[in-house]
Amino acid sequence: MHEREFRAFVLIAETGRMDVAARKLGYSQPAITYQVQRLEQSLGFKLFTRHPSGARLTGDGRMILPSVRAVLLLIDSMRDAHGSGAGEDRDLECSA
């Protein structure tokens, strides 16, 4: 799992729109869609239901949103503590 996938997930959840999230993050909409699909594949469940008017969190998506926000807060606080606010993407090694 990648930090950028988590950031895309949270921003889509907050805005309800993949195109808005893509614009805010500096990605194309297909790139954001791909990031969400990768995260969904990694987790094994759908995060959003897609509609012409936007995207809505699934029950599973609502359930993990607080945890994903906590992970991003931790990443940001580690960068702040280190004095490195650079937005470089880092892989998050997860083992089950």
Side-chain angles (χ1 to χ4, degrees), residues 17-82:
R17 307 234 358 145
M18 290 192 179
D19 58 335
V20 172
R23 214 172 22 255
K24 287 186 175 193
L25 292 171
Y27 296 119
S28 67
Q29 186 170 344
I32 288 289
T33 300
Y34 178 73
Q35 289 170 10
V36 170
Q37 288 171 341
R38 285 193 45 165
L39 186 56
E40 288 174 334
Q41 288 172 349
S42 294
L43 294 170
F45 51 82
K46 292 287 183 191
L47 298 170
F48 297 99
T49 55
R50 284 109 170 139
H51 302 278
S53 61
R56 280 188 232 128
L57 284 169
T58 63
D60 289 329
R62 278 191 302 279
M63 188 170 32
I64 70 159
L65 182 58
S67 297
V68 173
R69 283 185 171 138
V71 167
L72 291 174
L73 186 62
L74 181 60
I75 290 169
D76 291 343
S77 68
M78 287 187 294
R79 284 199 182 118
D80 290 345
H82 185 264

